[in-house]
Amino acid sequence: MTEVLRHPASSRIVHIVHMVCWYVLFVTGIITYFNLASDATKAWLMELHIYFAAVLTFITIAYVVVTPDRAFLFLKEILHWDKDTIAWWKNFGGYPYKFFGKYKFYKYFENLWFAKPGCPPQTKYNAGQKLLGLSVVASLLILGVTGWCLYFFPQALGKYWAATFFNWHVWVSIVVTLFVTCCHIPLVIINWPDFVSMFRLGSGTVPLEWAKHHNPKWVEKELVEITEKE
Amino acid sequence: MSEKKMYVEKPASVIISRRTFLKIVGIGIAALAIGTYKLTDIIAQRNKYIKIRQAGQYKDDQIVRNQIAPASHLNRMIPKFYREFGEQPLSEITEELLHTHYEPRIKTFPLEV
Amino acid sequence: MVSTNSKNNKYVATKDIPNDGIVSKQVKGMSVTKVNTFKEPPDARSGGGTFRKGELKGIIRINPKRCVGCDTCTKVCPSNAIAGELGVTHRIELDRCINCGQCLINCPFGAIEQMSFVDEVLSKLNDKNKTVVAIIAPAVRVALAEEFGYPPGTLTVNRMYRALKEAGFKIYDNNFAADQTILEEGTELIARIAYWLFGLKELEIEVWGTKAKFNLEHFEHKPLPQFTSCCPAWIRYVELYYPRLIPHLSSCKSPQQMAGATAKTYGALKVWNVKPENVYTVGIMPCTAKIFEASRPEMCNAWKWLKENGHIPENTPKFPDVDAVLTTRDLAELFRRLKINPVMGDDEEVRRPQEDFEYYSGGATIFGTSGGVMEAAIRTAYCVLAGKEPESWDFVEVRGYTKGVVKATIPIPLSSEFRKLTGADVFDLKVCVVNGIKNHIDAVVEDAIAGRSEFHFIEVMCCPGGCVNGGGQPVNPMGTSWIDPILPLPLKA
């Protein structure tokens, strides 16, 4: 079975570090903001919050500086929206039909605009993933800038902007984390080959047939066959 | 020795045309520039309200200087106060009413700052 | 969950109060933030820690429901009096607190509250037996209008006087007291210089056509450099952290306290002809530390003097020189409750002082800004030492603006009398202005204590920019008190 390299090692490392840092930051932030623990615990959690924020900032910058080709490819992918990408939204890539089409109750929904089967051909990331990518990049910027400004010099921002940065920091993180937790994680688990390619202790490959089915335009335009000697 | 075929992405320099590269860089620079400009603007303007209030204070100085007095000893109600009550600066009566003295708050050692 | 929406904190500027339509024509900046206040708790004057019995403790407090632990207050506090780590509710360590209110006006969430005496003052205004006197600070008149929707710096003098009189106050402008302060402190400075730099044991100065004689012996205990003493936060800072500096502090009271003592003696007996014990003095200040200063137990010299000189019965209970203090925000609240608009009309250009205490000089009014006390002192000291007026009344080189520390040398050509006394033609007055205690004070004070200070006179204002940016001023959401660069970027304001 021929394999396609979907996520090289550098991307996978950065993804895992991002993932861990993100959730640690989210949990420490939520507990502190919503007063879900004692003062001493909150103090310790906020210290953790700052350390992990430093790691996240560092790894993001390192990703761009050390492997700029991967960073640029990723940016190009999420910024490049064509007709097929827009068309994906017409029925959410066929996911509603895929999940619920086999149930009897679906016949009540089948005439709704998002209920149809089928999906236009997608590139490496489908439209939903592109949106996620944009959200994550935007939120990393917003959270990073607001977070570090508030940590290093809240006394120089002015009260209005300090309070505004704080509110953005809290609510952007909550909204994006909800998006990630409710959409990205379930869908990634459902698409098991993709999950495995990211987390397997080996190569970040997916089967060629799987790639041809899900990401035909990627296979067609951007891949090249190589021969690996074992 | 066995051979295995697999697929990898073409190099980035092939996939990304110069035009696309410049578009991405352009968006990045625009975002960075606008953000940095706005942020440094916010920081640089942080004391503006203080300066405006100070300017108001100096404006009062200009108004009063011409209509009442520019300096304290030229305020004609001050010599009247001394004539009728205070006698002279540092007199016994002003020492009692207008002067004071201070004591340390911690008698043995001061608090560290 | 903590509410952090600063929009909940805004005032609707002139609802319910008469206005003459000018407000709607003004370009409105962002309206000021509402600051919550609380009444004096029953044990506020019980003393303990670094507070003596009788003086107010806990004038500033942090509301735990609104505090998110952002650390902004910690970063601006000049005396490191705020405890609490990042993310945890902060609290003020009262034993270290100097009551300056910088934390309050810099909190992005409006989480810090101030003790307020508006109710007491209102009840005294309603008391027909009381003569209520308003002691109005210079910085109030450039910021009061902000509480009513106007841009910062809007000068409100004539209009504010009218509004205060309508409310039932008599006026004792703190600027008149500032003129008194300059006379007392300027003379004290010249005396210290005469004693320490020229070895004189007595001095004769001609002021207002009469010769005043001064015995300088007791200046042995008052070394140079002389530090100003009008900022009560600075005074408490010295008492707590640099008690060895105390002999350097001017012995003069602040203008507020001079005003209180004068109002209840000279004012009552000679100007207003009312019974001194019925005079109720209210400081109207841009400052929360002034609330503390008025409550200091030793500040009852009017009562002592009046008793000693038989003007009040021996058994009159003790009363302070200044009975209560309202911040600029408190005054706005008082006007709102009385439905008086202090910003009606547009006639600030011509001043018509009607009573003694409404007269003040240009030097006095600039007390409200950093470098102002210094400039006022120089204007008078120059005239005394040179025997003539300076070429320009503006001594721009001592103005603080948003510079942390200002150093200057003012060459004063000496009059013939002083040339004979000192043997010099010109006296180079070396001065320093400390614009905000935080980050700026330590080197200056340590030099003075060690005896290696190059200065003769040093002005210290606790609040960056001066009293115009004091803890009692309207809270402008678009700025902060931080005048220093943000390292590593040299972003200066």
Side-chain angles (χ1 to χ4, degrees):
Chain A
M1 192 172 49
T2 355
E3 300 275 313
V4 177
L5 181 64
R6 189 163 164 88
H7 302 295
S10 62
S11 302
R12 298 194 292 148
I13 292 172
V14 172
H15 179 264
I16 291 180
V17 173
H18 258 189
M19 187 181 79
V20 168
C21 286
W22 184 280
Y23 274 96
V24 169
L25 288 169
F26 180 72
V27 167
T28 53
I30 291 294
I31 295 180
T32 308
Y33 182 74
F34 290 102
N35 287 314
L36 301 172
S38 71
D39 274 3
T41 311
K42 283 197 293 185
W44 177 76
L45 287 175
M46 279 310 290
E47 256 200 80
L48 220 58
H49 191 93
I50 303 298
Y51 286 132
F52 275 85
V55 171
L56 183 60
T57 309
F58 173 72
I59 204 77
T60 310
I61 296 176
Y63 181 57
V64 176
V65 164
V66 175
T67 53
D69 54 328
R70 301 306 312 171
F72 267 92
L73 279 171
F74 182 67
L75 280 172
K76 174 202 83 76
E77 259 304 312
I78 60 179
L79 286 170
H80 193 75
W81 285 50
D82 59 14
K83 276 206 301 269
D84 286 325
T85 314
I86 313 264
W88 186 95
W89 293 101
K90 288 212 185 91
N91 61 350
F92 295 107
Y95 276 117
Y97 181 83
K98 183 175 171 188
F99 293 145
F100 304 112
K102 56 180 181 276
Y103 296 112
K104 286 212 200 97
F105 71 78
Y106 201 73
K107 65 177 193 287
Y108 297 113
F109 297 97
E110 62 194 9
N111 286 317
L112 289 170
W113 63 274
F114 56 81
K116 308 266 181 299
C119 170
Q122 296 296 306
T123 58
K124 180 176 183 187
Y125 292 121
N126 67 35
Q129 288 170 308
K130 285 189 214 261
L131 181 65
L132 173 78
L134 286 170
S135 310
V136 169
V137 169
S139 66
L140 280 173
L141 272 170
I142 293 175
L143 294 173
V145 168
T146 55
W148 289 123
C149 284
L150 287 169
Y151 181 70
F152 283 115
F153 48 80
Q155 75 275 22
L157 291 170
K159 286 150 273 192
Y160 172 76
W161 284 109
T164 307
F165 275 20
F166 185 84
N167 288 327
W168 287 352
H169 194 87
V170 169
W171 294 103
V172 166
S173 72
I174 291 180
V175 164
V176 174
T177 307
L178 273 172
F179 185 27
V180 164
T181 314
C182 300
C183 300
H184 176 60
I185 293 184
L187 285 171
V188 140
I189 293 177
I190 285 164
N191 284 303
W192 192 248
D194 210 352
F195 180 90
V196 164
S197 76
M198 181 63 83
F199 290 106
R200 165 191 344 181
L201 218 58
S203 58
T205 57
V206 287
L208 181 62
E209 293 310 312
W210 185 93
K212 273 195 187 149
H213 173 70
H214 286 269
N215 310 103
K217 285 186 357 193
W218 178 54
V219 174
E220 191 191 314
K221 296 205 184 121
E222 295 179 4
L223 295 184
V224 68
E225 191 176 347
I226 61 167
T227 319
E228 234 182 34
K229 297 197 190 338
E230 283 194 6
Chain B
M1 194 155 51
S2 62
E3 287 180 353
K4 187 171 173 224
K5 281 194 184 178
M6 66 178 289
Y7 285 84
V8 295
E9 284 171 338
K10 295 178 188 159
S13 46
V14 172
I15 299 181
I16 301 183
S17 67
R18 180 167 298 169
R19 203 180 194 186
T20 314
F21 174 79
L22 285 172
K23 276 193 217 165
I24 296 175
V25 170
I27 292 179
I29 290 184
L32 211 63
I34 294 176
T36 311
Y37 176 76
K38 179 72 180 163
L39 187 64
T40 50
D41 207 41
I42 290 174
I43 297 179
Q45 297 293 322
R46 68 193 182 280
N47 299 138
K48 192 163 158 204
Y49 75 101
I50 301 179
K51 295 186 198 170
I52 300 177
R53 287 182 189 165
Q54 289 173 332
Q57 208 73 71
Y58 287 112
K59 184 171 158 207
D60 196 32
D61 174 18
Q62 292 295 333
I63 293 176
V64 157
R65 164 192 303 200
N66 297 318
Q67 297 181 23
I68 306 181
S72 305
H73 62 289
L74 298 169
N75 173 354
R76 59 191 173 88
M77 292 304 173
I78 292 290
K80 178 169 181 270
F81 160 75
Y82 280 105
R83 217 171 32 242
E84 295 184 7
F85 190 73
E87 289 162 27
Q88 67 172 52
L90 309 184
S91 69
E92 243 184 75
I93 194 171
T94 61
E95 283 288 339
E96 198 183 329
L97 288 173
L98 308 184
H99 287 253
T100 183
H101 80 282
Y102 306 103
E103 296 281 338
R105 287 201 174 240
I106 309 274
K107 289 231 186 301
T108 38
F109 20 76
L111 292 174
E112 260 179 62
V113 181
Chain C
M1 182 179 120
V2 172
S3 162
T4 56
N5 187 350
S6 58
K7 284 202 181 68
N8 291 337
N9 241 0
K10 296 251 174 66
Y11 268 135
V12 176
T14 48
K15 202 167 78 128
D16 294 342
I17 328 182
N19 80 75
D20 53 6
I22 288 185
V23 174
S24 57
K25 293 189 207 140
Q26 296 283 346
V27 173
K28 284 211 193 102
M30 195 160 282
S31 57
V32 294
T33 318
K34 180 167 160 42
V35 170
N36 293 320
T37 57
F38 57 95
K39 285 210 189 19
E40 177 186 343
D43 60 344
R45 298 190 201 235
S46 55
T50 58
F51 289 85
R52 294 169 294 173
K53 202 155 179 298
E55 46 189 24
L56 281 168
K57 182 163 135 178
I59 293 171
I60 317 272
R61 76 174 185 206
I62 299 181
N63 183 346
K65 291 204 192 76
R66 294 189 79 109
C67 174
V68 299
C70 70
D71 257 7
T72 306
C73 56
T74 312
K75 292 182 152 85
V76 296
C77 175
S79 51
N80 289 318
I82 303 192
E85 298 94 342
L86 183 70
V88 179
T89 305
H90 285 24
R91 67 189 181 284
I92 296 178
E93 281 180 33
L94 292 176
D95 281 345
R96 296 186 66 95
C97 175
I98 59 178
N99 305 301
C100 69
Q102 281 300 305
C103 53
L104 189 155
I105 61 168
N106 284 298
C107 174
F109 303 97
I112 308 189
E113 306 177 343
Q114 168 220 320
M115 199 188 287
S116 169
F117 294 86
V118 173
D119 293 321
E120 280 83 345
V121 175
L122 275 172
S123 73
K124 291 291 187 282
L125 282 170
N126 285 329
D127 186 341
K128 287 198 180 55
N129 293 324
K130 290 284 182 191
T131 305
V132 184
V133 178
I135 302 172
I136 319 141
V140 174
R141 67 204 66 200
V142 300
L144 180 64
E146 291 175 47
E147 287 277 327
F148 296 90
Y150 287 77
T154 306
L155 205 49
T156 319
V157 182
N158 290 339
R159 299 178 278 185
M160 180 175 59
Y161 278 17
R162 261 205 302 278
L164 284 166
K165 287 177 186 169
E166 190 184 325
F169 287 96
K170 279 195 127 38
I171 310 262
Y172 189 126
D173 202 314
N174 207 35
N175 286 343
F176 176 90
D179 283 330
Q180 290 173 284
T181 308
I182 288 297
L183 264 298
E184 296 292 323
E185 193 159 347
T187 312
E188 183 190 358
L189 175 66
I190 293 174
R192 284 196 204 214
I193 290 174
Y195 183 87
W196 286 98
L197 294 182
F198 299 106
L200 299 169
K201 297 289 183 268
E202 56 173 42
L203 187 64
E204 206 176 78
I205 300 180
E206 182 174 332
V207 194
W208 305 308
T210 45
K211 286 201 197 300
K213 264 208 170 78
F214 300 95
N215 183 329
L216 303 180
E217 297 289 340
H218 60 287
F219 281 92
E220 176 192 4
H221 305 291
K222 298 190 180 178
L224 289 172
Q226 176 173 314
F227 281 76
T228 55
S229 56
C230 32
C231 172
W234 160 236
I235 296 294
R236 185 164 153 83
Y237 187 86
V238 170
E239 290 171 328
L240 287 172
Y241 304 112
Y242 287 108
R244 285 172 61 200
L245 194 74
I246 288 179
H248 291 266
L249 287 172
S250 164
S251 60
C252 293
K253 290 183 182 177
S254 69
Q256 170 181 275
Q257 297 304 129
M258 286 198 186
T262 310
K264 296 196 179 194
T265 53
Y266 175 64
L269 298 171
K270 295 253 162 76
V271 179
W272 297 316
N273 294 307
V274 295
K275 279 201 169 138
E277 61 269 39
N278 289 340
V279 174
Y280 185 85
T281 42
V282 180
I284 315 251
M285 298 285 146
C287 174
T288 42
K290 289 286 178 193
I291 305 178
F292 174 77
E293 187 181 40
S295 72
R296 290 176 69 114
E298 74 272 22
M299 298 288 185
C300 55
N301 307 96
W303 171 77
K304 275 202 209 107
W305 184 89
L306 288 165
K307 267 199 340 178
E308 279 164 17
N309 290 278
H311 295 288
I312 54 174
E314 272 294 320
N315 57 3
T316 315
K318 177 169 154 185
F319 54 78
D321 291 339
V322 177
D323 294 286
V325 175
L326 299 178
T327 58
T328 312
R329 300 184 294 261
D330 290 337
L331 181 67
E333 171 65 18
L334 185 128
F335 282 140
R336 273 186 213 105
R337 288 203 213 167
L338 295 176
K339 306 247 190 287
I340 297 174
N341 185 342
V343 205
M344 289 270 268
D346 198 16
D347 60 336
E348 293 295 336
E349 295 300 319
V350 180
R351 300 293 164 79
R352 297 174 208 88
Q354 281 157 6
E355 284 189 338
D356 292 27
F357 303 123
E358 294 178 19
Y359 283 74
Y360 62 89
S361 71
T365 195
I366 57 178
F367 264 53
T369 151
S370 171
V373 177
M374 182 59 71
E375 188 170 343
I378 293 173
R379 287 183 191 181
T380 291
Y382 187 104
C383 294
V384 170
L385 292 172
K388 60 177 166 75
E389 293 182 2
E391 268 147 41
S392 159
W393 291 111
D394 292 309
F395 290 90
V396 184
E397 59 268 47
V398 304
R399 295 184 184 179
Y401 293 122
T402 49
K403 269 197 306 259
V405 181
V406 172
K407 302 178 185 179
T409 305
I410 314 287
I412 303 181
L414 293 174
S415 69
S416 51
E417 288 95 15
F418 282 102
R419 256 184 264 165
K420 270 191 233 130
L421 278 174
T422 64
D425 283 338
V426 172
F427 179 70
D428 281 334
L429 183 67
K430 295 203 174 70
V431 300
C432 178
V433 169
V434 176
N435 187 357
I437 286 182
K438 177 90 180 176
N439 298 332
H440 309 136
I441 195 63
D442 293 325
V444 175
V445 167
E446 274 153 24
D447 278 350
I449 294 179
R452 54 171 187 259
S453 175
E454 50 173 315
F455 302 112
H456 303 121
F457 192 31
I458 303 181
E459 174 203 290
V460 179
M461 290 196 186
C462 174
C463 298
C467 315
V468 285
N469 187 34
Q473 290 285 59
V475 178
N476 185 309
M478 292 312 283
T480 88
S481 293
W482 194 263
I483 60 175
D484 297 315
I486 322 292
L487 300 171
L489 305 165
L491 286 170
K492 284 290 280 168

